[in-house]
Amino acid sequence: MGGERMSSASDRGADIRARLRQHWEASERGDVDLEHSIYAADAILDYPQSGERFRGRSRIQAQRGGHPAERHFTIRRILGCGELWVSECVITYDGVPTYSLSIMEITDGLVTHETQYFADPFDAPHARAALAEPIPARDQ
């Protein structure tokens, strides 16, 4: 019985990971319907850096639909289990990369709350050069 429970939880995790990957790939292709199918109808999206909250799948989709920049999405990794999942992505706006961390709370297979953080790249201080090494490219 314990093996069945573990397999079931593992299967749910694999399913959620696949749906999150599908979400980001749909974002890359501009397939807005598939991109937003992962959200519950009453989902909440928070952008802490701008202080904005979007309530409801339709508002989440509408605010993304009016973005003027050419955007591309690169998934670095997707981690999580149960009801909490994190996607680390690079979103390129008009050729300029922005690092993004998306924290998604999932209930019954749908995102009910997402908090998304954005960070611009910066040059490393020269004084740390002897201590650091480049981050290798990640294959997912």
Side-chain angles (χ1 to χ4, degrees):
M1 189 106 150
E4 290 175 21
R5 183 174 295 139
M6 179 65 86
S7 176
S8 178
S10 178
D11 290 347
R12 275 194 306 275
D15 180 57
I16 291 171
R17 183 182 310 277
R19 293 198 63 226
L20 290 172
R21 180 172 288 287
Q22 181 182 51
H23 162 77
W24 293 113
E25 290 171 353
S27 298
E28 170 63 21
R29 288 191 315 275
D31 184 340
V32 295
D33 291 331
L34 183 58
E35 173 186 2
H36 293 89
S37 68
I38 197 167
Y39 294 99
D42 60 350
I44 293 170
L45 170 63
D46 289 337
Y47 291 150
Q49 289 156 294
S50 65
E52 295 173 287
R53 170 170 280 181
F54 300 92
R55 191 178 300 273
R57 181 190 314 121
S58 61
R59 287 186 179 199
I60 293 169
Q61 184 170 342
Q63 66 87 24
R64 287 182 176 151
H67 203 289
E70 179 184 329
R71 297 181 298 166
H72 295 284
F73 297 81
T74 303
I75 303 165
R76 292 187 50 103
R77 62 182 162 167
I78 298 171
L79 301 169
C81 67
E83 297 178 350
L84 187 63
W85 288 79
V86 177
S87 298
E88 180 184 354
C89 303
V90 178
I91 305 173
T92 304
Y93 296 97
D94 290 334
V96 178
T98 297
Y99 295 87
S100 174
L101 192 65
S102 172
I103 302 169
M104 294 180 171
E105 298 171 42
I106 298 177
T107 304
D108 296 328
L110 294 173
V111 174
T112 55
H113 192 174
E114 178 180 16
T115 303
Q116 201 165 20
Y117 297 92
F118 302 92
D120 292 329
F122 58 89
D123 291 329
H126 180 71
R128 295 195 306 230
L131 303 172
E133 62 185 71
I135 297 173
R138 229 180 252 241
D139 293 332
Q140 180 103 359

